[in-house]
Amino acid sequence: MSGRERREQLIRISRTLFAEKGFDGTSIEEIAATAQVSKPVVYEHFGGKEGVYAVVVDREMQKLLSMTTEALSASHSLIKLERAALALLQYIEESSEGFRILVRDSHAASGTGSFASLISEIASRVEDVLADEFVARGYDPKLAPMYAQMLVGMVALTGQWWLDVRKPGREEVAAHLVNLAWNGLTGLNPNPAITMTTRANPSVAKPPWPSDKELRELEKAREKELKEAEKARQRELREAEKARARELKERERLLKEAEKEQERLLKEAEKAREREERLRLREAKLAERAALLGQGEETRPGSLDQQE
């Protein structure tokens, strides 16, 4: 088995295990054992469980986004809505394992965010469709982002429910979804159905999925993007470290200057104290000498008192 074939085998096996047990419930040992290889083989291809999980999640997201984007290429808004609903239900039906992985709270190792972020990305693509429809009907197009979240969220949550029940069929579920979204509660059709335009278009019933080559190219682009982001993060860390070092150096310089200034002030204070002490001693000596001189005058012979 070539290196590329081994990599694809490990991705398929990991996809199944992640869908069944989740990220935390799956181990490298289990992936390796199922593939009948040693753990170092998995590490060699993906660097660890986080690496293979990121590839699996990224592939599923790209697959679903590709199908949804293809569905939204129709000309009429109703047809776009029908095809988008069918695309999601088809993905769930034909890629149940992938959808189970996506609807779980994606582990931080995926590097691609949660299912909510995927829904937000799809909603951003629906915004333009709704904005055009709002303008045509005289509504405020600024409300399109909010309605896009509502619409895509409704379809996505219905898809999560249908993942397990699988009844009724996907066309019927899509018809009811479109019935509620397009007609509203007050205008519900009691017997909704997908339009003949959507049903008659085979490319709509089965939107093309990305080929393995396209997926590999997407993976390479994703890896390149992650590497560039990591390089940018490392640059930021280095710049922050340099700034921190400069700050510390400046603080040390200021501290040394403050210490020198403190030493200078202490020396000046000591000199002033010594000067004061010398002055005090000098004044004491002068006072003592003056006292001695006074005593000498009193005891000198022939003083005025003695003459009297």
Side-chain angles (χ1 to χ4, degrees):
M1 184 178 294
S2 66
R4 178 177 296 178
E5 290 171 340
R6 178 66 71 190
R7 176 183 173 85
E8 292 301 317
Q9 178 206 29
L10 291 171
I11 291 173
R12 288 194 303 272
I13 290 172
S14 300
R15 179 176 181 268
T16 300
L17 291 173
F18 287 138
E20 179 183 351
K21 301 182 178 183
F23 177 85
D24 293 328
T26 302
S27 66
I28 284 290
E29 289 82 359
E30 191 171 8
I31 295 173
T34 306
Q36 297 183 344
V37 297
S38 61
K39 288 194 296 182
V41 173
V42 183
Y43 287 116
E44 178 184 353
H45 282 278
F46 303 101
K49 185 173 69 170
E50 293 80 3
V52 66
Y53 183 78
V55 171
V56 170
V57 171
D58 194 57
R59 280 194 177 189
E60 295 305 320
M61 291 183 71
Q62 293 299 333
K63 185 183 296 183
L64 180 53
L65 282 173
S66 176
M67 295 174 69
T68 305
T69 302
E70 176 70 19
L72 293 174
S73 64
S75 57
H76 192 277
S77 297
L78 176 60
I79 305 302
K80 289 180 180 179
L81 186 57
E82 288 181 342
R83 294 182 181 182
L86 278 173
L88 175 62
L89 295 173
Q90 179 195 340
Y91 170 77
I92 294 172
E93 189 172 57
E94 298 180 0
S95 188
S96 298
E97 289 181 346
F99 191 70
R100 289 186 190 280
I101 293 172
L102 291 181
V103 296
R104 285 193 176 100
D105 287 337
S106 295
H107 193 273
S110 68
T112 51
S114 64
F115 184 61
S117 66
L118 173 63
I119 295 304
S120 293
E121 187 168 347
I122 295 175
S124 67
R125 304 186 184 197
V126 176
E127 285 178 20
D128 294 336
V129 177
L130 291 182
D132 293 341
E133 193 69 28
F134 280 17
V135 170
R137 294 172 181 268
Y139 299 150
D140 186 357
K142 292 181 180 178
L143 298 174
M146 179 175 67
Y147 276 86
Q149 292 286 340
M150 296 176 184
L151 179 61
V152 175
M154 178 181 71
V155 176
L157 287 175
T158 302
Q160 287 183 259
W161 164 80
W162 190 71
L163 175 65
D164 294 318
V165 297
R166 297 300 176 93
K167 290 182 181 180
R170 73 182 182 199
E171 277 200 10
E172 188 175 348
V173 173
H176 283 283
L177 272 170
V178 175
N179 187 24
L180 177 59
W182 190 259
N183 297 319
L185 287 172
T186 58
L188 283 178
N189 183 346
N191 297 299
I194 296 297
T195 60
M196 290 300 297
T197 301
T198 297
R199 185 179 293 110
N201 191 335
S203 64
V204 173
K206 192 174 180 61
W209 286 8
S211 65
D212 288 343
K213 181 179 179 181
E214 290 172 332
L215 286 173
R216 285 193 295 271
E217 289 176 352
L218 288 170
E219 286 176 26
K220 289 180 180 178
R222 177 64 175 168
E223 289 175 0
K224 182 179 179 182
E225 179 183 342
L226 289 174
K227 287 180 180 178
E228 291 176 352
E230 178 62 20
K231 287 180 180 178
R233 190 180 71 86
Q234 292 296 333
R235 283 196 301 270
E236 291 176 358
L237 289 175
R238 286 194 297 270
E239 290 299 324
E241 185 64 27
K242 288 179 181 178
R244 177 65 176 167
R246 287 194 297 269
E247 181 183 350
L248 289 174
K249 189 175 181 179
E250 180 65 15
R251 288 176 62 183
E252 289 177 358
R253 185 184 67 80
L254 293 175
L255 184 59
K256 288 180 180 179
E257 289 182 355
E259 290 175 351
K260 288 180 179 179
E261 180 65 15
Q262 183 68 19
E263 289 177 1
R264 185 183 67 79
L265 293 174
L266 288 174
K267 287 180 179 179
E268 289 182 355
E270 180 64 22
K271 289 179 180 179
R273 189 185 66 78
E274 290 176 354
R275 285 195 299 269
E276 290 176 0
E277 182 65 19
R278 286 195 296 269
L279 289 172
R280 188 185 65 77
L281 291 173
R282 183 179 297 175
E283 289 174 356
K285 288 180 180 179
L286 290 173
E288 183 180 354
R289 185 179 298 175
L292 291 173
L293 288 173
Q295 292 177 3
E297 289 292 334
E298 292 176 359
T299 59
R300 182 184 298 170
S303 65
L304 183 58
D305 293 339
Q306 291 174 343
Q307 290 176 0
E308 291 179 354

PDB file of all heavy atoms in Angstrom, residues 266-281:
ATOM      1  N   LEU A 266      21.899  59.945  49.486  1.00  0.00           N
ATOM      2  CA  LEU A 266      22.368  59.472  50.786  1.00  0.00           C
ATOM      3  C   LEU A 266      23.758  60.028  51.110  1.00  0.00           C
ATOM      4  O   LEU A 266      24.043  60.421  52.252  1.00  0.00           O
ATOM      5  CB  LEU A 266      22.391  57.940  50.808  1.00  0.00           C
ATOM      6  CG  LEU A 266      21.013  57.248  50.856  1.00  0.00           C
ATOM      7  CD1 LEU A 266      21.169  55.742  50.724  1.00  0.00           C
ATOM      8  CD2 LEU A 266      20.287  57.579  52.157  1.00  0.00           C
ATOM      9  N   LYS A 267      24.628  60.056  50.097  1.00  0.00           N
ATOM     10  CA  LYS A 267      25.972  60.608  50.306  1.00  0.00           C
ATOM     11  C   LYS A 267      25.902  62.083  50.651  1.00  0.00           C
ATOM     12  O   LYS A 267      26.607  62.575  51.536  1.00  0.00           O
ATOM     13  CB  LYS A 267      26.822  60.389  49.062  1.00  0.00           C
ATOM     14  CG  LYS A 267      27.251  58.940  48.861  1.00  0.00           C
ATOM     15  CD  LYS A 267      28.084  58.808  47.600  1.00  0.00           C
ATOM     16  CE  LYS A 267      28.537  57.357  47.404  1.00  0.00           C
ATOM     17  NZ  LYS A 267      29.337  57.199  46.164  1.00  0.00           N
ATOM     18  N   GLU A 268      25.062  62.810  49.903  1.00  0.00           N
ATOM     19  CA  GLU A 268      24.927  64.237  50.190  1.00  0.00           C
ATOM     20  C   GLU A 268      24.368  64.459  51.594  1.00  0.00           C
ATOM     21  O   GLU A 268      24.802  65.369  52.316  1.00  0.00           O
ATOM     22  CB  GLU A 268      24.023  64.897  49.158  1.00  0.00           C
ATOM     23  CG  GLU A 268      24.668  65.000  47.778  1.00  0.00           C
ATOM     24  CD  GLU A 268      23.771  65.710  46.784  1.00  0.00           C
ATOM     25  OE1 GLU A 268      22.615  66.036  47.161  1.00  0.00           O
ATOM     26  OE2 GLU A 268      24.214  65.930  45.639  1.00  0.00           O
ATOM     27  N   ALA A 269      23.407  63.609  51.963  1.00  0.00           N
ATOM     28  CA  ALA A 269      22.846  63.733  53.311  1.00  0.00           C
ATOM     29  C   ALA A 269      23.908  63.427  54.366  1.00  0.00           C
ATOM     30  O   ALA A 269      23.970  64.084  55.417  1.00  0.00           O
ATOM     31  CB  ALA A 269      21.653  62.789  53.449  1.00  0.00           C
ATOM     32  N   GLU A 270      24.757  62.404  54.073  1.00  0.00           N
ATOM     33  CA  GLU A 270      25.826  62.055  55.010  1.00  0.00           C
ATOM     34  C   GLU A 270      26.846  63.192  55.127  1.00  0.00           C
ATOM     35  O   GLU A 270      27.304  63.548  56.226  1.00  0.00           O
ATOM     36  CB  GLU A 270      26.517  60.777  54.545  1.00  0.00           C
ATOM     37  CG  GLU A 270      27.651  60.301  55.425  1.00  0.00           C
ATOM     38  CD  GLU A 270      27.182  59.921  56.819  1.00  0.00           C
ATOM     39  OE1 GLU A 270      25.983  59.626  56.976  1.00  0.00           O
ATOM     40  OE2 GLU A 270      28.027  59.904  57.734  1.00  0.00           O
ATOM     41  N   LYS A 271      27.189  63.797  53.975  1.00  0.00           N
ATOM     42  CA  LYS A 271      28.118  64.933  53.992  1.00  0.00           C
ATOM     43  C   LYS A 271      27.519  66.101  54.770  1.00  0.00           C
ATOM     44  O   LYS A 271      28.218  66.775  55.546  1.00  0.00           O
ATOM     45  CB  LYS A 271      28.444  65.356  52.572  1.00  0.00           C
ATOM     46  CG  LYS A 271      29.333  64.375  51.821  1.00  0.00           C
ATOM     47  CD  LYS A 271      29.591  64.855  50.405  1.00  0.00           C
ATOM     48  CE  LYS A 271      30.480  63.872  49.651  1.00  0.00           C
ATOM     49  NZ  LYS A 271      30.713  64.314  48.250  1.00  0.00           N
ATOM     50  N   ALA A 272      26.229  66.356  54.549  1.00  0.00           N
ATOM     51  CA  ALA A 272      25.581  67.456  55.273  1.00  0.00           C
ATOM     52  C   ALA A 272      25.587  67.177  56.772  1.00  0.00           C
ATOM     53  O   ALA A 272      25.810  68.087  57.599  1.00  0.00           O
ATOM     54  CB  ALA A 272      24.156  67.639  54.762  1.00  0.00           C
ATOM     55  N   ARG A 273      25.336  65.915  57.126  1.00  0.00           N
ATOM     56  CA  ARG A 273      25.346  65.552  58.546  1.00  0.00           C
ATOM     57  C   ARG A 273      26.737  65.745  59.146  1.00  0.00           C
ATOM     58  O   ARG A 273      26.894  66.247  60.262  1.00  0.00           O
ATOM     59  CB  ARG A 273      24.897  64.100  58.715  1.00  0.00           C
ATOM     60  CG  ARG A 273      24.659  63.684  60.171  1.00  0.00           C
ATOM     61  CD  ARG A 273      24.331  62.215  60.251  1.00  0.00           C
ATOM     62  NE  ARG A 273      25.481  61.416  59.841  1.00  0.00           N
ATOM     63  CZ  ARG A 273      26.530  61.194  60.636  1.00  0.00           C
ATOM     64  NH1 ARG A 273      26.607  61.728  61.841  1.00  0.00           N
ATOM     65  NH2 ARG A 273      27.529  60.447  60.208  1.00  0.00           N
ATOM     66  N   GLU A 274      27.763  65.335  58.368  1.00  0.00           N
ATOM     67  CA  GLU A 274      29.138  65.510  58.849  1.00  0.00           C
ATOM     68  C   GLU A 274      29.472  66.993  59.008  1.00  0.00           C
ATOM     69  O   GLU A 274      30.145  67.395  59.969  1.00  0.00           O
ATOM     70  CB  GLU A 274      30.110  64.842  57.878  1.00  0.00           C
ATOM     71  CG  GLU A 274      30.018  63.314  57.897  1.00  0.00           C
ATOM     72  CD  GLU A 274      30.918  62.690  56.859  1.00  0.00           C
ATOM     73  OE1 GLU A 274      31.516  63.459  56.055  1.00  0.00           O
ATOM     74  OE2 GLU A 274      31.033  61.437  56.825  1.00  0.00           O
ATOM     75  N   ARG A 275      29.032  67.813  58.021  1.00  0.00           N
ATOM     76  CA  ARG A 275      29.276  69.251  58.144  1.00  0.00           C
ATOM     77  C   ARG A 275      28.594  69.828  59.383  1.00  0.00           C
ATOM     78  O   ARG A 275      29.181  70.643  60.115  1.00  0.00           O
ATOM     79  CB  ARG A 275      28.777  69.968  56.886  1.00  0.00           C
ATOM     80  CG  ARG A 275      29.670  69.793  55.670  1.00  0.00           C
ATOM     81  CD  ARG A 275      29.345  70.794  54.593  1.00  0.00           C
ATOM     82  NE  ARG A 275      27.965  70.649  54.121  1.00  0.00           N
ATOM     83  CZ  ARG A 275      27.622  69.882  53.111  1.00  0.00           C
ATOM     84  NH1 ARG A 275      28.541  69.167  52.471  1.00  0.00           N
ATOM     85  NH2 ARG A 275      26.364  69.822  52.730  1.00  0.00           N
ATOM     86  N   GLU A 276      27.362  69.420  59.588  1.00  0.00           N
ATOM     87  CA  GLU A 276      26.653  69.887  60.775  1.00  0.00           C
ATOM     88  C   GLU A 276      27.368  69.454  62.053  1.00  0.00           C
ATOM     89  O   GLU A 276      27.445  70.207  63.033  1.00  0.00           O
ATOM     90  CB  GLU A 276      25.213  69.352  60.758  1.00  0.00           C
ATOM     91  CG  GLU A 276      24.343  69.982  59.689  1.00  0.00           C
ATOM     92  CD  GLU A 276      22.957  69.364  59.649  1.00  0.00           C
ATOM     93  OE1 GLU A 276      22.702  68.437  60.471  1.00  0.00           O
ATOM     94  OE2 GLU A 276      22.142  69.787  58.826  1.00  0.00           O
ATOM     95  N   GLU A 277      27.903  68.224  62.031  1.00  0.00           N
ATOM     96  CA  GLU A 277      28.608  67.719  63.215  1.00  0.00           C
ATOM     97  C   GLU A 277      29.874  68.523  63.457  1.00  0.00           C
ATOM     98  O   GLU A 277      30.216  68.881  64.615  1.00  0.00           O
ATOM     99  CB  GLU A 277      28.946  66.241  63.025  1.00  0.00           C
ATOM    100  CG  GLU A 277      29.635  65.577  64.203  1.00  0.00           C
ATOM    101  CD  GLU A 277      28.767  65.512  65.440  1.00  0.00           C
ATOM    102  OE1 GLU A 277      27.524  65.638  65.293  1.00  0.00           O
ATOM    103  OE2 GLU A 277      29.314  65.341  66.538  1.00  0.00           O
ATOM    104  N   ARG A 278      30.597  68.833  62.379  1.00  0.00           N
ATOM    105  CA  ARG A 278      31.812  69.631  62.534  1.00  0.00           C
ATOM    106  C   ARG A 278      31.481  71.028  63.058  1.00  0.00           C
ATOM    107  O   ARG A 278      32.174  71.580  63.915  1.00  0.00           O
ATOM    108  CB  ARG A 278      32.559  69.719  61.201  1.00  0.00           C
ATOM    109  CG  ARG A 278      33.266  68.435  60.807  1.00  0.00           C
ATOM    110  CD  ARG A 278      34.278  68.669  59.702  1.00  0.00           C
ATOM    111  NE  ARG A 278      33.633  69.121  58.474  1.00  0.00           N
ATOM    112  CZ  ARG A 278      33.202  68.308  57.511  1.00  0.00           C
ATOM    113  NH1 ARG A 278      33.342  66.982  57.656  1.00  0.00           N
ATOM    114  NH2 ARG A 278      32.648  68.786  56.428  1.00  0.00           N
ATOM    115  N   LEU A 279      30.406  71.613  62.508  1.00  0.00           N
ATOM    116  CA  LEU A 279      29.990  72.932  62.985  1.00  0.00           C
ATOM    117  C   LEU A 279      29.597  72.904  64.461  1.00  0.00           C
ATOM    118  O   LEU A 279      29.926  73.821  65.240  1.00  0.00           O
ATOM    119  CB  LEU A 279      28.826  73.464  62.145  1.00  0.00           C
ATOM    120  CG  LEU A 279      29.172  73.894  60.710  1.00  0.00           C
ATOM    121  CD1 LEU A 279      27.915  74.199  59.930  1.00  0.00           C
ATOM    122  CD2 LEU A 279      30.115  75.106  60.730  1.00  0.00           C
ATOM    123  N   ARG A 280      28.918  71.829  64.821  1.00  0.00           N
ATOM    124  CA  ARG A 280      28.503  71.703  66.224  1.00  0.00           C
ATOM    125  C   ARG A 280      29.707  71.600  67.139  1.00  0.00           C
ATOM    126  O   ARG A 280      29.786  72.248  68.208  1.00  0.00           O
ATOM    127  CB  ARG A 280      27.596  70.480  66.394  1.00  0.00           C
ATOM    128  CG  ARG A 280      26.963  70.374  67.781  1.00  0.00           C
ATOM    129  CD  ARG A 280      26.191  69.085  67.895  1.00  0.00           C
ATOM    130  NE  ARG A 280      27.084  67.924  67.812  1.00  0.00           N
ATOM    131  CZ  ARG A 280      27.847  67.519  68.822  1.00  0.00           C
ATOM    132  NH1 ARG A 280      27.860  68.175  69.982  1.00  0.00           N
ATOM    133  NH2 ARG A 280      28.610  66.463  68.682  1.00  0.00           N
ATOM    134  N   LEU A 281      30.699  70.771  66.700  1.00  0.00           N
ATOM    135  CA  LEU A 281      31.918  70.624  67.502  1.00  0.00           C
ATOM    136  C   LEU A 281      32.674  71.945  67.588  1.00  0.00           C
ATOM    137  O   LEU A 281      33.221  72.319  68.644  1.00  0.00           O
ATOM    138  CB  LEU A 281      32.810  69.539  66.905  1.00  0.00           C
ATOM    139  CG  LEU A 281      32.273  68.084  67.015  1.00  0.00           C
ATOM    140  CD1 LEU A 281      33.177  67.134  66.232  1.00  0.00           C
ATOM    141  CD2 LEU A 281      32.200  67.670  68.486  1.00  0.00           C
TER     142      LEU A 281
END
